[in-house]
Amino acid sequence: MELRILGLAPRPFAALFTLGPAELAARRALRVVADASPGYPCRVSLADAEIGEELVLANYEHQPADSPFRASHAVYVRRAAREQYDRVGEVPAQLRSRLLSLRAFDGRGMLVGADVVEGAALERLARTLLADPRAAYVHAHFARPGCYAARIERA
């Protein structure tokens, strides 16, 4: 089974880069500058920011399903991220290099499977979770901070 990995669409975040600190705070967001690399994983490009790069840290509802599993968490978005990561059969280094929690959901947004995996073994676990006929998609989370990383689907 081929896997499709998706970052977030950049459009909802673009306007955040035009806002000042108070306006960002009112939207549960703030501007940051990367002071380490890796360390600031952009959820649009699925690439880590380079030192000195500007990002916005924002609360994002990654699981908008009308279910008990509705969820949001903090995500970084690089100012330079213009294109949504959307690839089949390619796992970005950002995911390969971290401990991940994978969570499979059905079409109603109900959890149907989950496990933790080193990023180097992401494909094996994602395929196992998506082999369940109830699974519609998988969310990858960075296991230690718990924040949303990417969406994985059958290609």
Side-chain angles (χ1 to χ4, degrees), residues 70-125:
R70 185 179 192 131
S72 68
H73 207 289
V75 296
Y76 286 109
V77 175
R78 296 167 41 239
R79 177 187 281 275
R82 302 277 189 259
E83 184 179 322
Q84 176 184 19
Y85 186 94
D86 184 349
R87 308 273 194 296
V88 174
E90 295 179 34
V91 178
Q94 178 187 101
L95 298 181
R96 284 234 187 263
S97 64
R98 290 174 166 88
L99 181 66
L100 303 170
S101 168
L102 299 188
R103 303 167 191 173
F105 296 93
D106 68 14
R108 296 182 342 253
M110 294 298 292
L111 187 71
V112 296
D115 208 341
V116 176
V117 66
E118 289 292 339
L122 164 79
E123 292 150 306
R124 178 185 45 79
L125 179 56

Side-chain angles (χ1 to χ4, degrees), residues 38-73:
Y40 295 83
C42 176
R43 301 330 192 282
V44 170
S45 64
L46 300 187
D48 281 282
E50 296 296 325
I51 294 172
E53 250 190 292
E54 183 182 344
L55 304 96
V56 167
L57 178 61
N59 185 270
Y60 179 76
E61 188 174 38
H62 60 274
Q63 180 60 316
D66 191 17
S67 82
F69 293 97
R70 185 179 192 131
S72 68
H73 207 289

Side-chain angles (χ1 to χ4, degrees), residues 124-153:
R124 178 185 45 79
L125 179 56
R127 285 186 182 103
T128 298
L129 292 169
L130 287 168
D132 182 336
R134 299 172 301 162
Y137 56 93
V138 170
H139 279 179
H141 292 253
F142 298 126
R144 288 184 179 91
C147 47
Y148 176 80
R151 181 178 170 117
I152 304 169
E153 304 173 345

